[in-house]
Amino acid sequence: RQFSSVTIMGIAAREEAIRPGGSVEDMPDAPGLAHSVGIRTWPPQEYLANLLVKESEHILKKRCLELGSGVGFLSLAMWKLGAKKVVCTEVAVACLRLIHLNAAVNGATRGFEVSSLRWGQQEAEQWLDQRPRSEQKFDTILSSDVLYAEKNVEPFFETVTACLARTPEARLFMGHCERNPTVDKAILTVSASVGLAVVDRAEPDMLKRNPNKQLHVGWMPVHCYEFRWA
């Protein structure tokens, strides 16, 4: 199944050719932000979006939550795939501003929510408790290319498990690009320590390290993890 194009800062993304690397250098309201990792798209988002296009049963008519949304690309793609509700979360003010802009550009109104969420057990519990009871459960959690530092791995999975505790059958789909061996290892060890099982849904070519850094898909191995309670 193919979803209609998602426009992110003037860059159209489709199932057959999702283009990573959008910048905000031409945006008058975001000076000096062009080199921030959170305000551009990255290859793991491309792969994860394509996986969920092929397996849209995880999205269609489901309640979806994205953690660390950046510019909101994945959330907007899932909204266009027919999710019942998408909650797009971030903590950086610049990213939240861009998400609102991209939501407006794509006409995402009904069923699309933007919210500020800081990771951590207590923060996640408070965020969930402040929502209406009918809005506290999610079928699918999404996240892509958000863990660059080891110190963020534990708060991230605390947030994930806080959400999964309210919907035990839910799953986390996570795109991750290998950059830091310590972080790569921590993702697997911390997730296992909190009781999550993981399957890597990446295609074989995605796991190869390619020395040609100019390739469209990037040069570092990319994982598409699927986590659920063990």
Side-chain angles (χ1 to χ4, degrees):
R1 176 178 175 176
Q2 179 177 323
F3 60 90
S4 57
S5 64
V6 176
T7 301
I8 300 295
M9 297 172 291
I11 293 179
R14 294 181 182 275
E15 177 199 356
E16 71 275 14
I18 301 175
R19 297 178 54 194
S23 75
V24 294
E25 293 180 9
D26 58 340
M27 293 190 59
D29 62 339
L33 296 175
H35 301 293
S36 171
V37 296
I39 55 177
R40 55 171 290 174
T41 55
W42 294 91
Q45 295 174 324
E46 169 188 352
Y47 291 122
L48 187 55
N50 283 327
L51 171 65
L52 294 171
V53 166
K54 296 173 184 176
E55 301 183 12
S56 60
E57 66 271 16
H58 299 301
I59 304 299
L60 186 63
K61 297 182 180 179
K62 302 293 185 181
R63 299 181 58 82
C64 301
L65 169 69
E66 185 180 5
L67 302 176
S69 302
V71 297
F73 166 69
L74 270 180
S75 288
L76 288 165
M78 299 309 102
W79 181 77
K80 290 203 172 188
L81 274 173
K84 179 179 181 180
K85 176 70 177 283
V86 176
V87 180
C88 179
T89 68
E90 248 295 347
V91 70
V93 174
C95 290
L96 288 166
R97 184 169 67 244
L98 288 169
I99 293 168
H100 281 291
L101 172 63
N102 286 322
V105 168
N106 286 275
T109 52
R110 185 176 181 180
F112 191 88
E113 176 186 341
V114 182
S115 181
S116 177
L117 172 60
R118 186 176 297 277
W119 298 340
Q121 183 72 35
Q122 183 177 356
E123 292 85 346
E125 293 287 355
Q126 290 177 347
W127 182 81
L128 288 165
D129 287 340
Q130 290 171 359
R131 300 178 61 79
R133 187 171 297 274
S134 62
E135 300 280 334
Q136 295 178 6
K137 295 183 177 182
F138 298 94
D139 305 298
T140 302
I141 304 172
L142 307 168
S143 193
S144 184
D145 225 29
V146 297
L147 295 176
Y148 293 81
E150 185 180 8
K151 66 179 182 180
N152 294 327
V153 177
E154 187 172 341
F156 173 80
F157 280 104
E158 288 177 348
T159 303
V160 170
T161 54
C163 295
L164 291 178
R166 305 198 182 202
T167 316
E169 67 275 15
R171 305 179 187 189
L172 163 68
F173 290 92
M174 177 185 179
H176 176 69
C177 189
E178 289 186 12
R179 295 184 178 87
N180 183 329
T182 302
V183 174
D184 303 335
K185 181 179 179 181
I187 289 172
L188 300 179
T189 56
V190 172
S191 62
S193 73
V194 298
L196 298 180
V198 61
V199 175
D200 195 346
R201 306 293 305 281
E203 298 290 338
D205 287 347
M206 295 164 57
L207 299 174
K208 295 179 181 178
R209 184 176 294 276
N210 195 309
N212 185 356
K213 298 182 182 182
Q214 302 304 314
L215 288 179
H216 165 75
V217 295
W219 68 284
M220 295 171 284
V222 174
H223 301 271
C224 285
Y225 292 128
E226 178 181 347
F227 293 92
R228 66 177 77 181
W229 289 120

